[in-house]
Structures are given as C-alpha cells and as structure tokens.
C-alpha cells in the first residue's frame, strides 16, 4: 500500500506541557537528547548513557526485524556474535520495570516524566511495564519517527481494502462474525450472524484474545495452560477520545506547526496513572491534537478537526453504565468528554461554542 498513502513526517513530533516547563520534542532523537540535556544539565551524562542503551536496544530490534523480512539468520547471528553486548540491555531490562531501568541513569522526577510521556501508550505505568518493552515502544516513536497519513488512519484501511479487492478479494461490511468453525483442531470456516458460512484455509481474528477464545472458537480447542494464562491476565487501561468538528480556525493556537500537545498536571507519573485508573478526566494527562494543521483536506476552510484524548479504565463505573441502558452510557461518556473540553478551553478559548460535530469513543 506504500504507493496508495501519503505520509506526512512531523517535526517537531509533539509538545509536552508540564507545570513550569514546556518542551517541543524534535523529530531527530539526537536533537531531543540535546534539548533534554540543556533543560536538565545535572542529568546530561546520565541521559547520554540512557540514550546509548536505547540505541543499542533499537539496533538489536532492527537486526531481528531484518531477519524476519528476509535477511539470512546466519548474517544476523554473525552481527550478534561480533557485538554480543548488543543483547545485554535487552535481556537485562526485560524482567525489570521501566522505572528501574531509568533509575540506572537518571533521577530527576521532571526529566523522568518527559522521558515517560508516552508511557500511556503501553497501557500500564512505568513501575509495572517491562523496561525492554518500554524501550522498544519509545524507540519506535523517537528513532522510527512520527508520521501522519493524509486522510487519517482511515486512509490506511482504504488502501488495504483497495489491494484486497484488486487481488480478487471481497470485503463484507456490516457482517457480524459469530463463529470460527473448527475441524480436527483446525480452523476451516467463519460463520456469520445471518447463517452464512465461508470456508477457508486460514482465519485471522482481529477480535481480542478472550473473545476469540470464548465467543468465536471455544476454549476446548486451545491448550489448557494457554487458556489459564489468558484467564489470569487483567485488562489494561483503555482510552476516551473526543472527536470534534469545530467551526473555527484554531491553527494559530498551535505555534511552530506542532499539531499534538500532551497536557500534564503533575510530574509524578504514579499520580498521573492514579487519575487514569480512577477515571478522573479533570486531572489526568490528555492529548490535544489539531489534525487540520497537518492535513488541511479533512475540514472545510476556516474549520478544524480537533481531537482530545485521555486514558480511562476499560471498566469505568462497571461497564460505562451500558448495562443500565445505552442512553446512560452515552450520557456518561459525553459527561467525561465535556470535562476534557472545558480543560482544553484554557488553550483553545471558546472551543465549546464552536463545536459543530462531536463523536465520543470509549
């Protein structure tokens, strides 16, 4: 699909706003390192060592990626044999938390907050997420680069759909899959709500793992130990996203061309995640994004697509009150959305009065 989508590289990547300090994050990781060292000079040496470790993890991951994409396993193994220390940080920090990993290099709570700004994308706080996992996630953004697809994420789905159809495939929309049919331990068909059955050689389930096991396949078709492991897992943090079509041009409120802001009330990440777990959109870190700034095609002239996003519990108030009726659910999610909108008016004056379209996702 590479020739079917238009990629817009973002630089600066995003802006982090904390009490007393606001930093524009350059797309170039070495420039970002310099920004952090200039802002926290007492931690400059530790930051350099941390960056070396992150780069080492990144190099190891790129080599492994090359191996999965066709480079011979022998040549990749030879690279590791020449540089055996390359895998040391990966294995060292796999079983330690991100907080413990960072503590080996830096101590300033404010600097740690900037480095772990993206921790929310891991779905769990730095004290609990694997250091190596956090490093890979962080590297994917800062060494891999921030980008936006013109037309939004939907452009990627559209491109994939085109490729499927160009190669003789068919896409069934509004078709609920209710069962993955098994024969002798092998998936052989997909059954839909309207009673149709589609035979196939392979099935790819894009549903979550527990639902795939219990609602689509049946747990009797999986190894007992695997099902037990899944049953023992907890559902991670989820998100609240407010999509707004506004009849006002707010692009001047986003200086330097930065379309994405992270708004933080505290440097204490434990406290920030407490707000997430308890569902407190009045205080939790949230993202403030103007997509029209990087993609003017998504809104009429003089209008903008604004997105507000924060982290909320998957089971907020039980089930977001859905069991009490769909209307109760809609009212609850819109109540949370209005709290984010009110907060963002400090940055985008009069936002609530300019809303023409609002869609809230949980």
């Amino acid at each position: 699909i590479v020739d079917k989508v238009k990629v817009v590289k973002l630089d600066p990547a995003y802006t982090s706003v904390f009490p007393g300090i606001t930093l524009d994050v350059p797309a170039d990781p070495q420039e970002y390192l310099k920004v952090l060292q200039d802002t926290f000079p007492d931690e400059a040496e530790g930051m350099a060592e941390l960056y070396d470790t992150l780069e080492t993890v990144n190099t190891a991951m790129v080599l492994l990626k090359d191996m999965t994409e066709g480079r011979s396993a022998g040549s990749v193994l030879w690279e590791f044999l020449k540089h055996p220390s390359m895998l040391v940080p990966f294995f060292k920090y796999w079983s330690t938390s991100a907080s413990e990993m960072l503590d080996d290099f830096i101590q300033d709570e404010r600097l740690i907050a900037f480095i772990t700004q993206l921790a929310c994308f891991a779905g769990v706080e730095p004290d609990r997420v694997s250091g190596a996992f956090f490093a890979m996630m962080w590297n994917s953004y800062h060494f891999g680069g921030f980008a936006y697809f013109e037309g939004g994420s939907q452009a990627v789905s559209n491109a994939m759909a085109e490729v499927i159809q160009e190669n003789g495939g068919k896409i069934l929309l509004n078709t609920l899959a209710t069962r993955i049919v098994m024969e002798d331990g092998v998936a052989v068909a997909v059954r839909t709500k309207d009673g149709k059955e589609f035979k196939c050689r392979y099935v790819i389930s894009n549903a979550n793992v527990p639902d795939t096991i219990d609602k689509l396949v049946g747990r009797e078709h999986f190894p007992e130990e695997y099902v037990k492991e899944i049953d023992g897992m907890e559902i991670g943090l989820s998100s609240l996203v407010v999509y707004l079509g506004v009849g006002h041009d707010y692009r001047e409120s986003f200086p330097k061309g930065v379309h994405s802001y992270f708004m933080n009330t505290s440097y204490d990440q434990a406290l920030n995640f407490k707000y997430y777990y308890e569902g407190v959109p009045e205080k939790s870190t949230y993202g403030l994004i103007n997509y029209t700034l990087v993609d003017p095609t998504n809104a009429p002239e003089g209008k903008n697509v604004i997105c507000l996003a924060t982290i909320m519990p998957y089971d907020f108030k039980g089930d977001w009150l859905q069991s009490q009726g769909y209307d109760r659910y809609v009212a609850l999610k819109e109540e949370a959305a209005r709290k984010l909108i009110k907060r963002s008016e400090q940055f985008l004056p009069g936002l609530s009065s300019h809303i023409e379209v609002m869609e809230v996702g949980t």
Side-chain angles (χ1 to χ4, degrees), residues 106-120:
I106 55 179
Q107 274 69 50
D108 192 312
E109 181 186 52
R110 299 169 303 166
L111 174 56
I112 291 171
F114 278 102
I115 290 293
T116 57
Q117 177 71 91
L118 305 180
C120 57

Side-chain angles (χ1 to χ4, degrees), residues 57-124:
V57 172
N58 191 58
T59 301
M61 289 302 99
V62 169
L63 280 171
L64 291 173
K65 174 175 172 285
D66 287 348
M67 190 166 67
T68 65
E69 293 183 351
R71 184 173 171 184
S72 74
S75 66
V76 172
L77 182 60
W78 177 242
E79 291 284 349
F80 285 131
L81 289 174
K82 285 195 299 182
H83 308 284
S85 61
M86 194 185 298
L87 287 174
V88 171
F90 181 79
F91 287 115
K92 177 181 179 181
Y93 295 117
W94 185 257
S95 56
T96 60
S97 71
S99 293
E100 290 170 320
M101 177 182 76
L102 296 177
D103 192 51
D104 282 350
F105 305 97
I106 55 179
Q107 274 69 50
D108 192 312
E109 181 186 52
R110 299 169 303 166
L111 174 56
I112 291 171
F114 278 102
I115 290 293
T116 57
Q117 177 71 91
L118 305 180
C120 57
F121 294 148
V124 69

Side-chain angles (χ1 to χ4, degrees), residues 21-41:
I21 305 177
T22 294
L23 293 182
D24 296 325
V25 178
D28 183 279
Q30 294 305 319
E31 287 184 23
Y32 185 32
L33 170 60
K34 187 175 186 308
V35 167
L36 292 172
Q37 289 176 319
D38 289 346
T39 307
F40 304 97

Side-chain angles (χ1 to χ4, degrees), residues 8 33 73 82 88 119 171 197 213-214 236 244 251 253 267 295 317 322 332 351:
V8 181
L33 170 60
K82 285 195 299 182
V88 171
I171 297 167
E197 193 166 291
I213 292 174
D214 288 319
L244 302 173
R251 284 180 289 184
S253 298
Y267 289 101
D295 182 10
K317 293 191 182 296
Q322 287 193 79
L332 180 62
L351 177 61

